[in-house]
């Protein structure tokens, strides 16, 4: 559930930064090698017995970073440089992206993923979320349908044209006055399907809200979806390709990502239901053989790894069965394969039938 973390006001965070850096300076002044302890989180393990007690709501242990170890020196250097930039953003009430931060010291950071890791570490150390640090993601998500809201004092009226795409708000905390007469929210994996539904006037015909993260969803898309669910209390369905990557995107929405497990409870949408496409759909909807592709060796490795995630056995065993069936069948197909019947088959036949008949898990 989207909630407000305690102690995340800029002044509080600045005091935490001052205390943290002060302790490092004190250690160095006394000739001691500073050691930083960072809590570690995970949203799943590989215990498939169904008896594990994994939870991203609590730490699973601590990682020690010390100048006593040469391999940690660069990591600590990066962390402190990123922390200094964040301190400036908070002091000046400005926002910056991860890429903005990377390009301030590219020769030191070497690659954006190094900055990403440092930001995650800082969030854990300061017990806050990324947006509390004034670090924003470049939004990729789109929304359309029966929805109206105010973003930073500006009214966004999707209802006036429910088949027009609007960008997902980057500063989700500045969204309020949400109004909707939608009956449900539909999340689709990719933009091509989103545009197909827009062309077919799916939102207008079915009185719903449609969202896409354009592949793996970014943080603003997940936060916005979480906010809509909390405010509107609508059913949420997800449509992804019948392949390992579609399934992984589905689980990112429902359970969160491993990289940001420390923030999963503020990003995950536990209410989301899997609408399709399922491997059985290739038989149920007579998808021709030429529309099916064989699973690659990489696909199979990915499926086998995902099958080990404890939450599949513990919380969504039907999802796990579908994944096993995908591996057994050895084939995959895209949502667009349904267009073999007609361009409008997805919006006029498949989706309404699934939603109204309860064909989701």
């Amino acid at each position: 559930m989207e909630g407000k973390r305690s102690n995340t006001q800029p002044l509080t965070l600045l005091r935490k930064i001052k205390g943290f850096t002060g302790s490092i300076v004190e250690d160095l002044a006394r000739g001691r090698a500073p050691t930083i302890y960072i809590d570690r989180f995970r949203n799943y393990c590989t215990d498939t017995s169904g008896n594990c007690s994994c939870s991203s709501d609590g730490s699973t242990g601590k990682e020690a970073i010390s100048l006593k170890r040469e391999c940690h020196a660069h990591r600590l250097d990066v962390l402190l440089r990123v922390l200094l930039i964040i301190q400036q953003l908070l002091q000046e009430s400005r926002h910056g992206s991860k890429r903005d931060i990377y390009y301030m010291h590219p020769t030191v950071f070497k690659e954006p993923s190094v900055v990403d890791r440092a930001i995650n570490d800082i969030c854990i150390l300061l017990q806050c979320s990324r947006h509390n640090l004034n670090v924003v993601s470049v939004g990729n998500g789109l929304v359309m349908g029966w929805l109206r809201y105010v973003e930073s004092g500006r009214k966004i009226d999707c209802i006036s044209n429910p088949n027009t795409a609007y960008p997902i708000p980057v500063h989700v905390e500045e969204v309020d006055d949400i109004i909707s007469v939608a009956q449900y929210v539909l999340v689709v994996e990719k933009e091509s399907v989103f545009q197909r539904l827009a062309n077919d006037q799916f939102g207008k015909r079915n009185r719903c809200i449609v969202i896409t993260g354009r592949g793996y969803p970014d943080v603003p898309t997940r936060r916005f979806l979480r906010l809509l669910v909390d405010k509107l209390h609508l059913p949420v369905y997800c449509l992804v390709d019948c392949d390992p990557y579609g399934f992984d995107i589905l689980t990112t929405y429902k359970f969160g990502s491993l990289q940001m497990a420390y923030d999963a409870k503020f990003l995950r949408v536990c209410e989301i239901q899997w609408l399709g496409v399922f491997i059985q759909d290739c038989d149920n909807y007579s998808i021709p053989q030429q529309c099916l592709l064989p699973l690659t060796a990489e696909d199979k490795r990915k499926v086998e790894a995902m099958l080990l995630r404890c939450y599949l056995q513990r919380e969504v065993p039907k999802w796990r069965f579908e994944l096993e069936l995908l591996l057994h069948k050895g084939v995959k197909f895209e949502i667009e394969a349904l267009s073999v019947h007609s361009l409008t088959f997805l919006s006029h036949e498949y989706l309404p039938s699934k939603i109204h008949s309860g064909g989701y898990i």
Side-chain angles (χ1 to χ4, degrees):
M1 180 175 179
E2 175 71 25
K4 292 185 178 180
R5 288 175 176 268
S6 60
N7 300 324
T8 53
Q9 293 299 314
L11 289 177
T12 302
L13 293 176
L14 286 169
R15 282 197 295 269
K16 287 185 176 183
I17 292 171
K18 182 178 179 180
F20 172 73
T21 54
S23 66
I24 291 177
V25 170
E26 183 178 349
D27 281 343
L28 292 172
R30 296 187 177 187
R32 296 194 300 254
T35 300
I36 301 168
Y37 295 94
I38 302 176
D39 287 319
R40 282 297 163 231
F41 297 81
R42 65 184 182 193
N43 58 343
Y44 66 83
C45 68
T46 56
D47 179 358
T48 56
S49 68
N51 298 320
C52 81
S53 56
C54 269
S55 171
S56 56
D57 297 345
S59 168
T60 59
K62 293 182 182 291
E63 179 183 9
I65 303 175
S66 173
L67 282 182
K68 291 179 181 179
R69 299 180 62 184
E70 187 176 342
C71 62
H72 286 173
H74 179 255
R75 184 174 172 189
L76 186 56
D77 179 25
V78 169
L79 190 149
L80 290 174
R81 287 175 186 264
V82 173
L83 193 60
L84 176 60
I85 296 168
I86 287 170
Q87 178 180 263
Q88 292 172 336
L89 291 175
L90 292 171
Q91 288 172 335
E92 299 170 13
S93 298
R94 292 188 295 115
H95 292 80
S97 70
K98 180 178 66 178
R99 295 200 72 82
D100 288 332
I101 295 173
Y102 166 72
Y103 282 114
M104 293 181 77
H105 301 288
T107 55
V108 175
F109 296 149
K110 293 186 171 56
E111 55 186 22
S113 62
V114 172
V115 174
D116 205 37
R117 182 183 188 182
I119 293 170
N120 286 339
D121 287 342
I122 290 167
C123 286
I124 294 169
L125 286 167
L126 301 184
Q127 296 179 306
C128 67
S129 299
R130 286 192 178 204
H131 65 276
N132 300 127
L133 302 177
N134 287 2
V135 176
V136 297
S137 301
V138 177
N140 290 319
L142 299 171
V143 61
M144 65 180 175
W146 295 81
L147 177 67
R148 182 184 297 140
Y149 58 91
V150 174
E151 178 193 359
S152 304
R154 184 170 60 101
K155 182 185 287 187
I156 308 297
D157 186 7
C158 305
I159 297 176
S160 62
N161 191 345
N163 300 301
T164 297
Y166 291 83
I168 292 288
V170 173
H171 304 294
V172 179
E173 63 279 4
E174 297 178 4
V175 172
D176 54 23
D177 295 335
I178 298 172
I179 297 172
S180 177
V181 290
Q183 296 174 332
Y184 58 87
V185 179
L186 174 64
V187 180
V188 298
E189 175 183 343
K190 50 195 180 182
E191 185 177 6
S192 60
V193 174
F194 182 91
Q195 294 298 342
R196 174 77 266 147
L197 297 181
N199 292 338
D200 294 345
Q201 300 192 17
F202 181 83
K204 183 177 182 179
R205 292 161 59 94
N206 293 276
R207 198 174 284 270
C208 64
I209 299 166
V210 185
I211 287 176
T212 181
R214 295 176 172 179
Y216 281 94
D218 55 27
V219 171
T221 300
R222 292 159 63 192
R223 291 186 65 219
F224 186 64
L225 178 60
R226 177 72 265 164
L227 179 64
L228 292 184
V229 172
D230 286 342
K231 296 295 184 181
L232 302 176
H233 307 289
L234 294 174
V236 189
Y237 307 109
C238 190
L239 179 71
V240 295
D241 283 339
C242 183
D243 65 21
Y245 292 92
F247 186 82
D248 201 25
I249 288 168
L250 171 72
T251 59
T252 299
Y253 279 111
K254 187 174 182 73
F255 298 104
S257 64
L258 186 60
Q259 182 188 24
M260 296 186 67
Y262 65 88
D263 225 18
K265 61 183 175 181
F266 297 98
L267 298 173
R268 64 192 176 204
V269 181
C270 302
E271 298 87 344
I272 207 162
Q273 299 176 88
W274 187 8
L275 192 64
V277 288
F278 302 125
I279 190 63
Q280 303 101 306
D281 288 340
C282 65
D283 295 325
N284 295 341
Y285 293 91
S286 303
I287 304 298
Q289 189 66 34
Q290 58 265 34
C291 295
L292 308 179
L293 298 171
L295 292 179
T296 65
E298 181 184 349
D299 288 334
K300 292 176 182 178
R301 285 193 295 270
K302 188 169 182 64
V303 171
E304 289 165 352
M306 289 191 293
L307 282 170
L308 297 176
R309 297 179 185 180
C310 61
Y311 55 59
L312 295 185
Q313 182 67 30
R314 187 179 67 241
E315 299 184 43
V316 283
K318 289 183 179 179
W319 288 20
R320 190 174 192 277
F321 174 76
E322 289 292 331
L323 197 58
E324 289 174 331
L325 197 57
L326 177 69
L327 188 61
H328 175 72
K329 290 275 191 180
V331 294
K332 59 185 179 180
F333 66 97
E334 295 183 289
I335 300 164
E336 292 91 335
L338 293 165
S339 296
V340 70
H341 299 297
S342 73
L343 263 183
T344 59
F345 184 80
L346 174 67
S347 58
H348 289 190
E349 304 289 338
Y350 182 87
L351 289 174
S353 173
K354 285 271 188 172
I355 292 169
H356 295 144
S357 68
Y360 47 82
I361 55 177

